[in-house]
Amino acid sequence: MAPVLLLGGTSDARALATLLVEGGVEVVSSLAGRVREPLLPPGQIRIGGFGGVDGLREYLRDNDIRLVVDATHPFATQMSWHAHEACAAESVPLIGVRRPPWEPTTGDDWRRVPTLAAAAELLPHVGRRALLTTGRQEVAAFADVPGVHLVIRAIDPPERLPAGAELVLARGPFTVEDELTLLREHVIDVLVTKNSGGTMTSAKLDAARALGLPVVMVDRAPYPPVPTAATARAAAALVSIALQG
Ligand code: NAP
């Protein structure tokens, strides 16, 4: 049977690959190659970009792909739109896996912004010592923020660390206790994060709430209109229906 191409790089993608492989589905997981030592799911793996929409179309044709599942990070929007365009052009069905965004709860002080640039612009008006958890690729957006000491947490070091910034290398999941310790040790007065959703990294929000800290929350960009599941298990059910069709 022609394989399912699973665009991955997330814990949901790994969980889905596991479920599909266990169910006897042939899966090729695709990773962008951003993380030096990625956690690898079961099944086949390919690593690196496809070369835009045209490259992905060629890959779908060459590998006789029957179904694509987009389980990339909610902020990997370029890949999601490329997949949408390539699948439409090649008449290959596409399913999305998107964990729901975090929602503010009682006691939260969120300052919602549409982009990283808007977060950087707002930051000096909110705090003086920021914990940045936006991912290493996004650090450049904060390079010129005036009057704010940056503590950057990332899995791998960013290519360029902004002058004076501190780096904390760590990979989630984190507990609320971990996060409280980090926030207190660095005397953080504002948290900056993308609204990734999920439980792997949500403890920082609980910790910020407990300490009464504001959170600059970068909202998600629009996602292509495709059938979408919120969890790996729900996605596995959609895959099984699609493969029967
Ligand atoms: P992006 O901006 O949407 O993608 C940029 C380019 O990277 C794509 O056009 C594609 O290159 C390549 N790419 C992205 N995901 C890929 C995949 N799963 N397989 C093969 N190529 C991929 O995405 P990004 O922000 O660079 O994120 C890259 C990876 O990191 C994704 O797997 C994502 O799930 C993971 N990630 C991202 C974030 C985030 O906040 N952005 C956070 C955690 C993990 P071509 O055009 O050459 O095909």
Side-chain angles (χ1 to χ4, degrees):
M1 195 207 296
V4 171
L5 175 64
L6 173 51
L7 303 170
T10 59
S11 55
D12 286 333
R14 286 191 295 278
L16 178 57
T18 304
L19 289 171
L20 295 179
V21 167
E22 280 170 5
V25 176
E26 193 188 336
V27 183
V28 182
S29 286
S30 175
L31 305 176
R34 305 270 184 265
V35 176
R36 268 191 212 148
E37 290 178 35
L39 301 172
L40 295 178
Q44 298 173 55
I45 309 280
R46 68 162 298 287
I47 296 183
F50 295 94
V53 174
D54 289 344
L56 180 53
R57 287 184 63 175
E58 201 178 315
Y59 182 91
L60 297 178
R61 284 195 304 269
D62 289 352
N63 294 280
D64 200 15
I65 297 294
R66 206 171 144 200
L67 174 71
V68 177
V69 181
D70 172 16
T72 54
H73 189 272
F75 281 80
T77 34
Q78 179 167 305
M79 188 69 249
S80 295
W81 284 96
H82 282 185
H84 182 244
E85 204 178 321
C87 287
E90 297 298 328
S91 301
V92 174
L94 173 64
I95 289 170
V97 187
R98 279 288 168 279
R99 51 198 187 225
W102 295 315
E103 296 294 342
T105 182
T106 311
D108 278 332
D109 175 12
W110 286 15
R111 320 290 170 94
R112 298 179 87 138
V113 288
T115 60
L116 287 154
E121 210 178 305
L122 179 67
L123 192 52
H125 305 285
V126 184
R128 287 283 164 265
R129 296 184 60 85
L131 175 64
L132 225 65
T133 62
T134 49
R136 72 181 174 95
Q137 294 181 84
E138 280 73 7
V139 163
F142 297 88
D144 298 321
V145 173
V148 180
H149 179 76
L150 300 176
V151 177
I152 294 163
R153 180 172 68 195
I155 298 176
D156 292 318
E159 261 164 37
R160 200 167 296 165
L161 199 61
E166 283 177 79
L167 183 63
V168 176
L169 292 179
R171 190 200 299 248
F174 304 104
T175 65
V176 179
E177 227 18 78
D178 293 336
E179 301 297 48
L180 284 169
T181 304
L182 181 69
L183 292 169
R184 285 186 180 124
E185 263 178 11
H186 292 274
V187 201
I188 296 300
D189 62 7
V190 56
L191 169 68
V192 185
T193 178
K194 295 186 294 197
N195 195 336
S196 303
T199 53
M200 287 266 285
T201 59
S202 62
K204 62 191 168 191
L205 302 175
D206 299 329
R209 187 184 315 112
L211 297 177
L213 301 186
V215 176
V216 175
M217 180 65 74
V218 183
D219 281 328
R220 298 177 180 187
Y223 183 66
V226 297
T228 300
T231 62
R233 198 157 285 283
L238 282 186
V239 169
S240 134
I241 292 166
L243 290 180
Q244 280 160 23

